[in-house]
Amino acid sequence: MKLVSLTQVSTLFHLGRTDDGVVRPYNDFFGIISQLCEEPDLFFIVVGKSKGLSIKNYVSFGYQDIVEFLEKSLLETPTQVPVCNVLCSSSFSVNELADSLLECTGGVPGLLTRAVNMLLNYIVARNQPFISKEECLTCMNDYDFRIICAEPFVERILNLDEDRRSVFDLLLMMALYRIPFQVDDRLTSESFLYDAVTEMGLYRYPIDENTFQVLIPKVFVVIFKRDPSISSLEKILLGSLDVEPVDCFFYSKCRVFEGIVALRLVLMLSSKNRNELRELLCQLSPIWKQMKLPISTISPIHYMKSVVSSRETRNESNKSRRTFASTEWNKIIRETLYLETVYIPLDATSHSPDIIFKLQSPVEPKVLTVGVACKGRWKSEGIGWSDIIDEAKKFLDPVYDQVLSSAMDSHHCMLIIVSTKLSLNVSNELGNQSRCYSSGMFIGDDFFKVPDNCELVILCERDVEMLIDDEILNGLERAFGVSHNPTFWDFGLDLLDRIRNSFLSWQ
């Protein structure tokens, strides 16, 4: 019998390699062991340090894996009780517990185990199991719980040098925009993206055998956001990840375009430096001019995305596209904008605003709720009046009917159309200039009248470039021309770097 270390196995066994001879994945313990297990007559001895062996298994658990983990993990007691029996009462099922843990940890193995152990300590201390999902989530959402649970994982990222921190920003963007990557995607000729995810203690969700999605559990996000070393851009990216619905960006061809516009808007609203777009909106809208800008604190813009359930898909014509359910709208309107409940009817032919935020006047009690509808280049003929009216009816009419009609005159609403390609009819009427349609004005051959206390702003293509430049748009068009769900390789490092730099230029 011969003893060898894992650093020697590549010379003795035929492990998977890249073209330049690097064992892949050379730093994934389970990945190497799984290949070695195919060899006959092999005996493993695993030796750990006094602090324990750090096994880098960064593939997250799915829902069913967590259920199985909870049911088969036994406490070291004389009766060998399953973990789920200790944590769950008769009114709180193991499925609900698994769902809560998935929401909190993202299914990350090490983080999941740590969270379960902390829940067990909590239950033992009070001698009573959880009676509901809400009670369990309240416990896991407690800041002290998250700090203790995630601190060892977060510390690694906070100690990165400046160069690696820029890679962390790219990974945050990939997580937010749901940009998958493949196992052999490179950052440089000597650096793999796969290894960067591992090095930073982040996790990968397997899409298929060779394709992964960067995963940043929300339990990490809370701690990151409160650290003083986090940059303004990282705060916005992390904050957006914290409020985003899990599946919102899948199946959407405009997802990266919408996300870039949203983040640039946040930076524009919070920047203390002069910027042309903010001044343009002040010129177009008397109400906008009265709002307090720049905003005093940087916070994520809350996306109002079209969401599909996990069992649904959308075809190219978007006919199967769904909007937020009324309960989701109600929650965001109430908690984010502090307005009364607004019901947005489900209609497969019309879309909710992609972005929504609120501004307030510094001297008068005036509030402006702003919705932004992002329209990409996916229609060859450009965005016409019917599309614009569709967006206005979907947002301005319900907000007016259900809020503004019975509110004080201090409440106002604005819809901004951000389109990368307008139809010839729209461009001609606008005179290739951005325009604001105020209350009582008609648009589209008098097919729509702007409600009282509302405004509709249409940005011309030239002014849209203040939010997203033409080179980035061309890059997005190329990437989504290759695939409906393009990977890191399809976007390219240069394009993602350019997007990141466009954010940094407005900090």
Side-chain angles (χ1 to χ4, degrees):
M1 182 177 70
K2 183 178 181 181
L3 296 178
V4 297
S5 68
L6 285 178
T7 56
Q8 297 173 299
V9 293
S10 63
T11 61
L12 300 177
F13 304 101
H14 300 289
L15 299 184
R17 295 170 177 266
T18 61
D19 293 338
D20 56 358
V22 177
V23 177
R24 301 295 299 161
Y26 68 83
N27 58 357
D28 187 325
F29 181 88
F30 287 144
I32 294 174
I33 295 298
S34 65
Q35 294 184 60
L36 292 178
C37 284
E38 298 176 1
E39 300 290 333
D41 303 321
L42 197 63
F43 179 69
F44 294 103
I45 300 177
V46 178
V47 180
K49 298 178 182 179
S50 59
K51 292 183 179 180
L53 179 65
S54 176
I55 299 175
K56 295 184 178 179
N57 174 28
Y58 291 106
V59 178
S60 62
F61 284 7
Y63 171 77
Q64 290 299 332
D65 298 315
I66 297 176
V67 171
E68 184 175 358
F69 169 72
L70 294 170
E71 290 177 338
K72 293 186 177 181
S73 297
L74 304 177
L75 294 183
E76 294 183 3
T77 62
T79 55
Q80 296 286 291
V81 181
V83 166
C84 59
N85 290 5
V86 177
L87 295 177
C88 300
S89 65
S90 59
S91 60
F92 180 47
S93 68
V94 64
N95 292 342
E96 290 178 303
L97 175 59
D99 193 51
S100 303
L101 286 164
L102 183 61
E103 181 177 333
C104 177
T105 68
V108 172
L111 188 58
L112 175 68
T113 303
R114 196 171 176 90
V116 169
N117 284 332
M118 291 182 65
L119 290 177
L120 286 170
N121 290 336
Y122 178 82
I123 290 301
V124 169
R126 74 170 195 169
N127 196 30
Q128 180 182 340
F130 292 108
I131 61 173
S132 69
K133 180 179 179 180
E134 290 73 22
E135 184 186 32
C136 183
L137 283 175
T138 298
C139 175
M140 287 192 287
N141 287 334
D142 180 78
Y143 185 66
D144 289 336
F145 181 98
R146 293 187 174 203
I147 280 286
I148 298 170
C149 187
E151 192 170 28
F153 303 89
V154 173
E155 185 178 353
R156 188 182 318 182
I157 295 174
L158 295 178
N159 292 327
L160 293 172
D161 61 33
E162 187 174 345
D163 289 340
R164 302 308 286 168
R165 199 61 170 260
S166 67
V167 176
F168 176 59
D169 291 350
L170 292 181
L171 294 176
L172 287 177
M173 288 166 49
M174 291 176 63
L176 178 60
Y177 301 149
R178 304 296 193 266
I179 298 174
F181 69 95
Q182 295 184 320
V183 69
D184 292 325
D185 282 342
R186 294 174 181 263
L187 291 167
T188 67
S189 60
E190 300 179 351
S191 174
F192 288 90
L193 181 62
Y194 184 102
D195 297 335
V197 176
T198 301
E199 173 197 346
M200 295 180 192
L202 303 180
Y203 300 85
R204 56 183 187 265
Y205 178 83
I207 296 174
D208 57 40
E209 185 177 352
N210 295 310
T211 310
F212 302 89
Q213 176 66 57
V214 179
L215 175 66
I216 302 179
K218 287 191 175 183
V219 67
F220 285 11
V221 171
V222 174
I223 301 173
F224 280 135
K225 287 195 302 181
R226 296 195 182 190
D227 191 274
S229 68
I230 292 293
S231 69
S232 298
L233 173 59
E234 289 166 346
K235 284 181 182 178
I236 298 170
L237 290 168
L238 289 163
S240 299
L241 281 165
D242 199 25
V243 302
E244 272 301 299
V246 174
D247 294 326
C248 69
F249 279 128
F250 287 114
Y251 310 113
S252 171
K253 292 181 70 176
C254 287
R255 66 181 184 265
V256 184
F257 168 53
E258 294 162 348
I260 293 171
V261 169
L263 292 181
R264 294 271 288 181
L265 270 172
V266 171
L267 294 167
M268 182 268 288
L269 292 172
S270 59
S271 175
K272 295 181 180 179
N273 300 323
R274 173 183 177 272
N275 63 73
E276 294 178 334
L277 183 58
R278 202 162 70 197
E279 293 185 2
L280 171 66
L281 291 171
C282 285
Q283 295 170 10
L284 293 173
S285 166
I287 298 300
W288 180 281
K289 191 174 183 179
Q290 297 175 41
M291 297 298 109
K292 182 180 181 180
L293 291 171
I295 56 179
S296 57
T297 57
I298 297 178
S299 59
I301 274 184
H302 287 238
Y303 301 98
M304 301 301 294
K305 307 296 299 180
S306 294
V307 179
V308 293
S309 71
S310 58
R311 295 183 178 87
E312 288 184 316
T313 58
R314 283 195 315 209
N315 56 34
E316 285 291 319
S317 66
N318 276 339
K319 289 181 180 178
S320 61
R321 183 174 181 172
R322 290 178 55 216
T323 60
F324 264 95
S326 60
T327 54
E328 294 170 297
W329 256 100
N330 294 347
K331 180 180 178 183
I332 294 176
I333 292 291
R334 184 172 58 253
E335 296 182 359
T336 306
L337 306 177
Y338 309 104
L339 294 176
E340 295 298 325
T341 298
V342 178
Y343 170 67
I344 305 298
L346 295 178
D347 185 348
T349 64
S350 59
H351 313 156
S352 307
D354 301 295
I355 305 158
I356 190 168
F357 57 94
K358 184 188 72 170
L359 299 176
Q360 195 154 1
S361 170
V363 293
E364 298 181 48
K366 287 192 175 182
V367 176
L368 176 63
T369 301
V370 184
V372 182
C374 300
K375 313 295 287 186
R377 291 177 172 176
W378 320 125
K379 294 181 68 172
S380 58
E381 68 275 17
I383 302 305
W385 284 115
S386 61
D387 301 291
I388 294 172
I389 291 172
D390 190 38
E391 295 285 351
K393 287 183 176 179
K394 190 68 176 177
F395 182 58
L396 294 181
D397 277 351
V399 172
Y400 173 76
D401 291 340
Q402 300 172 45
V403 178
L404 301 183
S405 60
S406 57
M408 296 167 49
D409 287 340
S410 58
H411 288 270
H412 298 264
C413 184
M414 174 188 288
L415 176 64
I416 302 175
I417 304 293
V418 177
S419 174
T420 59
K421 187 173 183 180
L422 297 170
S423 70
L424 187 60
N425 287 340
V426 175
S427 295
N428 288 340
E429 183 166 331
L430 296 179
N432 294 317
Q433 301 287 326
S434 297
R435 181 176 295 184
C436 177
Y437 294 84
S438 301
S439 301
M441 297 180 68
F442 288 88
I443 64 170
D445 295 327
D446 297 344
F447 282 117
F448 180 77
K449 181 181 178 181
V450 180
D452 292 342
N453 287 359
C454 293
E455 291 180 332
L456 172 65
V457 173
I458 305 174
L459 296 183
C460 66
E461 295 173 31
R462 181 188 65 252
D463 291 336
V464 168
E465 290 192 24
M466 297 181 193
L467 283 171
I468 181 168
D469 69 48
D470 206 48
E471 189 167 335
I472 292 177
L473 283 171
N474 290 335
L476 297 183
E477 195 166 20
R478 285 193 300 270
F480 282 94
V482 172
S483 168
H484 196 67
N485 190 29
T487 65
F488 172 85
W489 175 262
D490 298 321
F491 284 95
L493 180 60
D494 288 344
L495 176 60
L496 294 176
D497 271 335
R498 185 176 181 88
I499 294 171
R500 176 179 177 268
N501 290 335
S502 77
F503 296 147
L504 294 176
S505 66
W506 272 24
Q507 282 197 128

